[in-house]
Amino acid sequence: MADIEKAKQRALELTREIDRHSSLYYERAAPEITDQEFDALLRELRDIEEKHPGLISPDSPTQKVGGTVLAAFEQVRHLVPMQSLDNTYSEGELGDFVRRIQKLLPGETIPLTIEPKVDGVAIALLYENGRLVRAATRGDGTAGDDVTENLKTIRAIPRQLPDGAPARMEIRGEIYLPKKLFAKINEERDEQGLPAFANPRNTAAGSLKQLDSRLVARRGLEAIFYGYGAFEGTLPRTQSEFIELLRGFGLPVPGKLWQAQTTDEALAAIRELGIIRHDFPYETDGAVLKVDILAQRERLGATAKAPRWAIAYKYEPEQAETKLRDITVQVGRTGVLTPVAELDPVFVSGSTVARATLHNEEEIVRKDIRIGDTVVIEKAGEVIPAVVKVRTDLRRGDEVVFQMPAHCPACGDPVVREEGFVAVRCGNLHCPAQLSRLLDHFAMRGALDIEGLGDKVALKLVEKKMVRTPLDLFDLQLADLAPLNLGTEDEPHTFGEKNAQKLLNALERSKTLPLWRWIHAIAIPDVGAVTARDLASLHQDPAALASSEILRDIVRLDERTVPRKDVSKEEREFLKQEADALGEKLLAAGAATKSKSAKHPRDVNPAIGPVAARAVLGWFASDEGRRTLERFAQYGIHPLGEEPSSASASGEGPLKGTTWVLTGALSAPREEIAEEIRQAGGTVSGSVSKKTTYILAGEDAGSKLEKARALEVKVLSEAEFREMVAV
Ligand code: IVH
């Protein structure tokens, strides 16, 4: 084959691969390869195109900036395109960058700043006369998703800037999930036998793409800003002053900026940043070297893809090699057995690592990890130590293949492998390891927040067999609790009457906590805090969950949409019709959303995933579930859903038959007002459409109000609304 033919074929292959990985990265937030591997593919394609410019097509990934634009959000054009940065892994190329700008601005002193390259999700905020009017993702660089409502849930982002803000200012930055929160989420996922999220950036991207901003509010996202697009007003002279300006407005900015005049000074700053970055709350994947004086930037300009006044230096992900001494097994609160790598301590990404979760048996088999191996470790999201690969070339032959124990290491009961699931569980509901973790979970803040039930008390209650399931706590009396010895025989330390009473009071208080907290607390496998909230928003009380038609419909829809080959054409058609009907039903119940790209009702997104739906129904149908409901009644535990199910949404009342959208700052939390509307017979929706009857607009109403006006939907003030419900 001629050279050019070969090049053409390879370019085509690379384009397909890159597009696939781009879509995995940007749209599904589930990358299969590392940034380095992605960059290498892009570089190979760029090299081919440089040699054969005739092969460059306008659709080539080298001609695009970021991901593609999703259809589910409204699209907005950026006032100034959001460009990308040229990047390099080589210190030498930084020298080339400095020489290049010196050549372009001959004889001038060009001060540089160095700042962290935050590995988050790029965002542009538009402030007009100090008020936040719009937030958009990068999208394809020209237009992005309007995520204003989602961004408003991030506490660090001011909706109103203090006096003196420019007439119009579009600022650029990153949304990120703090490393610690990411670690916590993955810990929870491990506990539930769910696959871990790959890194904070993807988790943040996934959260931002939620159409329901309430889900975003729960994620704990943060933001940091470092640049601008459009700016109407007096621009500061330098980057450093610009960052100070943002800081003065109360916007989060990088904690430290370095100044440099020469390549060597820049390199020293980059190295220093390379060390301290591990202590930042956000993930960083590099340093950005920028021309400090904004007027010089103007004169340097930009290429089609990136500015000439900045370059990103990417740090290689830190890896370390160490010996895998052993694989131990931990028992989580849902009984899931998690294998843990016991390592020779080694320093990586800012701290010493001696243990790393191996998640599950499948992962060990997939990576062929054996006891005695030399392994390469890295921190996922710079926080969680992970074994990335094995140095099989260093094997000596005495390495031992790991076998998941057939019995629980804590109680000795046989373990259970559920078909189709990667997790292996201890089947003993009274397993002490499981139970004490279950009690910790039951009492923790996001669950029932039971003051006084610390680790020690929980362990003691388990040891003394005073508690065999969390609900046994409600049988405890002051006389049982007060004399508990939390110390040792030699150094006794009694729990005492006062603490015991506190614990009993906390238990009493918990009986009327919202439903989602209880769903979270009872630790149904595959149901985390976020799902618990979603379940609670669709159901009135625990009994409604146990017999939930919505959950059954979600499972049915899933069964009907699994592609199957063994069915006839007619049957497939019938299944499709059934699935469409189920999709419609779920939409009507407010238990699913439909993106603009969904062609059929069966393509809806149920609020609860089918795995969780099955888990909940299965759990309530089990002996444990049935017994739990009986005991709720026995102890007077009456958790209630925060929003009644949509069954009451279209009920009787003065607002019967009306659909409402709430926007802007109202006198009470939105959920409270939404609840009032539902109580009065109305329906509340998250987005404005032709079906919307009224918009209830508070202060600072943003894009929804604009859209309402465009669709000629009637806009009401809170006072007008009050009048209507008072009828
Ligand atoms: S300046 C014209 N500064 O990294 C683009 N970008 O890989 C100027 N990023 O598109 C961007 N930290 O989304 C700049 N301190 C920082 C940054 C930063 C992260 C992002 C940004 C950019 C991407 C390029």
Side-chain angles (χ1 to χ4, degrees):
M1 210 185 322
D3 243 16
I4 176 81
E5 269 308 308
K6 263 194 214 156
K8 192 170 162 187
Q9 201 168 333
R10 180 67 188 142
L12 205 68
E13 275 167 23
L14 284 166
T15 301
R16 277 201 208 115
E17 266 298 271
I18 294 168
D19 282 346
R20 191 172 78 81
H21 289 300
S22 277
S23 137
L24 282 169
Y25 181 102
Y26 287 105
E27 285 156 39
R28 310 245 313 267
E32 283 175 5
I33 57 173
T34 63
D35 288 2
Q36 284 72 22
E37 286 163 335
F38 184 85
D39 288 346
L41 293 175
L42 204 60
R43 214 168 258 222
E44 191 185 339
L45 181 60
R46 201 170 285 141
D47 286 349
I48 296 178
E49 291 178 343
E50 242 165 54
K51 263 197 224 144
H52 307 282
L55 293 181
I56 306 177
S57 90
D59 301 335
S60 167
T62 58
Q63 308 300 303
K64 294 184 216 158
V65 178
T68 47
V69 177
L70 281 170
F73 287 93
E74 194 126 320
Q75 298 301 296
V76 282
R77 268 186 97 77
H78 298 301
L79 300 179
V80 173
M82 283 180 88
Q83 287 197 303
S84 190
L85 282 173
D86 281 334
N87 62 54
T88 175
Y89 289 90
S90 118
E91 295 194 345
E93 285 184 16
L94 286 184
D96 296 344
F97 166 78
V98 174
R99 274 187 292 279
R100 201 159 50 238
I101 54 173
Q102 277 166 347
K103 215 165 137 193
L104 288 166
L105 301 177
E108 293 185 33
T109 308
I110 313 175
L112 300 166
T113 51
I114 293 92
E115 56 189 47
K117 181 165 177 341
V118 182
D119 198 9
V121 184
I123 200 87
L125 299 187
L126 180 61
Y127 283 94
E128 282 178 353
N129 298 318
R131 179 179 288 192
L132 175 65
V133 293
R134 195 175 91 179
T137 61
R138 185 213 312 267
D140 65 359
T142 310
D145 293 337
D146 183 340
V147 287
T148 315
E149 291 307 313
N150 284 353
L151 266 280
K152 281 185 181 166
T153 70
I154 299 178
R155 251 175 288 150
I157 296 181
R159 293 186 189 194
Q160 178 71 47
L161 302 180
D163 287 350
R168 210 163 198 228
M169 170 172 82
E170 191 199 13
I171 57 162
R172 306 264 165 99
E174 307 283 309
I175 301 297
Y176 67 92
L177 179 70
K179 295 194 274 193
K180 280 201 180 131
L181 262 180
F182 170 70
K184 220 172 112 203
I185 292 172
N186 265 355
E187 242 172 61
E188 262 206 17
R189 291 182 70 83
D190 258 359
E191 282 273 4
Q192 289 162 12
L194 297 173
F197 287 137
N199 57 48
R201 182 197 49 223
N202 294 331
T203 317
S207 304
L208 268 192
K209 283 184 186 145
Q210 294 283 350
L211 287 166
D212 183 345
S213 54
R214 288 171 306 175
L215 301 180
V216 187
R218 285 175 214 147
R219 258 299 184 241
L221 297 177
E222 296 282 346
I224 193 151
F225 298 95
Y226 46 69
Y228 59 91
F231 198 101
E232 286 168 27
T234 320
L235 253 183
R237 200 181 65 88
T238 62
Q239 169 75 3
S240 333
E241 287 164 26
F242 174 71
I243 294 289
E244 281 320 305
L245 181 82
L246 295 188
R247 195 195 308 280
F249 287 150
L251 285 154
V253 290
K256 181 169 173 167
L257 248 60
W258 285 258
Q259 307 286 331
Q261 298 283 350
T262 62
T263 308
D264 281 347
E265 282 173 15
L267 285 175
I270 288 172
R271 284 189 207 117
E272 191 186 323
L273 173 59
I275 297 168
I276 65 168
R277 71 194 180 105
H278 301 302
D279 299 328
F280 298 164
Y282 44 83
E283 233 194 332
T284 49
D285 60 344
V288 187
L289 187 58
K290 294 179 179 173
V291 168
D292 194 31
I293 298 174
L294 306 186
Q296 286 184 329
R297 286 187 188 178
E298 283 291 311
R299 285 157 55 221
L300 286 165
T303 66
K305 207 184 136 260
R308 288 199 192 88
W309 46 261
I311 189 165
Y313 173 83
K314 291 239 202 157
Y315 298 112
E316 292 289 350
E318 278 183 40
Q319 295 192 330
E321 281 185 14
T322 187
K323 246 298 171 301
L324 175 68
R325 287 279 161 223
D326 198 4
I327 297 179
T328 54
V329 174
Q330 263 181 5
V331 188
R333 66 161 193 276
T334 52
V336 173
L337 268 53
T338 309
V340 178
E342 305 288 344
L343 306 161
D344 270 352
V346 60
F347 192 80
V348 62
S349 298
S351 71
T352 303
V353 170
R355 306 184 87 203
T357 170
L358 295 170
H359 303 298
N360 52 55
E361 202 178 10
E362 206 172 59
E363 168 111 345
I364 298 178
V365 174
R366 192 166 57 80
K367 293 185 177 157
D368 188 20
I369 301 169
R370 303 182 191 177
I371 299 165
D373 268 336
T374 300
V375 292
V376 177
I377 66 162
E378 203 179 284
K379 284 190 180 160
E382 275 189 74
V383 227
I384 310 167
V387 173
V388 283
K389 64 173 182 239
V390 173
R391 289 286 308 268
T392 43
D393 54 321
L394 297 181
R395 277 203 178 136
R396 291 182 318 234
D398 58 354
E399 294 76 14
V400 180
V401 173
F402 169 77
Q403 292 251 307
M404 202 63 163
H407 293 92
C408 168
C411 71
D413 259 35
V415 301
V416 187
R417 280 164 202 273
E418 287 155 58
E419 215 179 306
F421 290 94
V422 288
V424 174
R425 296 179 199 274
C426 163
N428 174 10
L429 292 175
H430 307 298
C431 168
Q434 225 182 106
L435 183 53
S436 59
R437 284 178 154 249
L438 206 53
L439 286 179
D440 285 347
H441 171 79
F442 198 70
M444 77 176 192
R445 265 216 201 115
L448 298 182
D449 196 6
I450 299 174
E451 211 191 329
L453 188 69
D455 289 358
K456 274 194 186 160
V457 182
L459 209 63
K460 200 41 108 194
L461 293 171
V462 174
E463 252 175 46
K464 296 210 134 216
K465 300 205 165 53
M466 291 165 71
V467 167
R468 287 168 201 270
T469 79
L471 286 181
D472 291 348
L473 288 168
F474 292 91
D475 287 328
L476 295 173
Q477 306 291 327
L478 193 66
D480 306 322
L481 286 167
L484 270 189
N485 177 11
L486 302 179
T488 57
E489 258 178 49
D490 298 339
E491 273 182 65
H493 167 62
T494 40
F495 191 37
E497 209 159 285
K498 215 164 135 197
N499 288 329
Q501 191 56 53
K502 247 196 215 160
L503 173 54
L504 292 174
N505 292 346
L507 284 165
E508 196 53 39
R509 258 199 315 275
S510 77
K511 290 181 179 173
T512 48
L513 282 177
L515 179 59
W516 77 265
R517 285 174 172 265
W518 272 95
I519 302 173
H520 186 36
I522 55 182
I524 302 172
D526 296 316
V527 177
V530 173
T531 310
R533 287 199 191 240
D534 294 335
L535 285 164
S537 71
L538 291 163
H539 300 85
Q540 304 262 23
D541 52 35
L545 263 175
S547 60
S548 168
E549 184 71 14
I550 288 177
L551 296 181
R552 275 198 219 121
D553 285 344
I554 290 171
V555 173
R556 285 188 201 123
L557 175 65
D558 183 54
E559 283 163 0
R560 280 154 185 76
T561 43
V562 192
R564 277 173 48 190
K565 289 203 184 94
D566 57 335
V567 291
S568 66
K569 218 173 158 189
E570 290 74 28
E571 200 173 334
R572 199 170 306 146
E573 215 30 63
F574 175 70
L575 288 175
K576 276 186 190 163
Q577 280 174 16
E578 279 200 312
D580 281 338
L582 286 163
E584 295 278 15
K585 203 170 153 203
L586 288 169
L587 281 172
T593 51
K594 194 170 161 206
S595 73
K596 279 188 200 156
S597 59
K599 286 203 198 89
H600 310 281
R602 59 181 177 270
D603 300 329
V604 294
N605 266 329
I608 315 290
V611 172
R614 280 193 189 90
V616 173
L617 292 171
W619 190 85
F620 277 105
S622 70
D623 284 347
E624 189 191 356
R626 276 198 293 264
R627 181 93 191 95
T628 300
L629 284 188
E630 283 165 19
R631 295 182 81 183
F632 275 10
Q634 181 189 337
Y635 300 128
I637 297 170
H638 293 299
L640 288 181
E642 280 154 298
E643 291 164 58
S645 79
S646 51
S648 69
S650 48
E652 295 301 319
L655 304 186
K656 187 179 171 194
T658 57
T659 300
W660 294 70
V661 171
L662 311 186
T663 183
L666 299 161
S667 66
R670 260 191 215 172
E671 253 326 295
E672 241 171 63
I673 296 184
E675 183 54 25
E676 264 184 81
I677 294 175
R678 291 191 197 98
Q679 294 291 343
T683 307
V684 181
S685 159
S687 58
V688 185
S689 73
K690 282 192 189 137
K691 286 195 192 137
T692 315
T693 328
Y694 297 112
I695 297 270
L696 177 53
E699 291 261 306
D700 282 348
S703 58
K704 280 187 186 168
L705 191 54
E706 282 163 32
K707 185 160 176 200
R709 293 211 169 108
L711 290 174
E712 295 182 17
V713 176
K714 191 158 171 48
V715 180
L716 294 186
S717 69
E718 220 178 313
E720 288 168 303
F721 159 70
R722 296 264 160 242
E723 254 173 54
M724 280 176 95
V725 268
V727 176

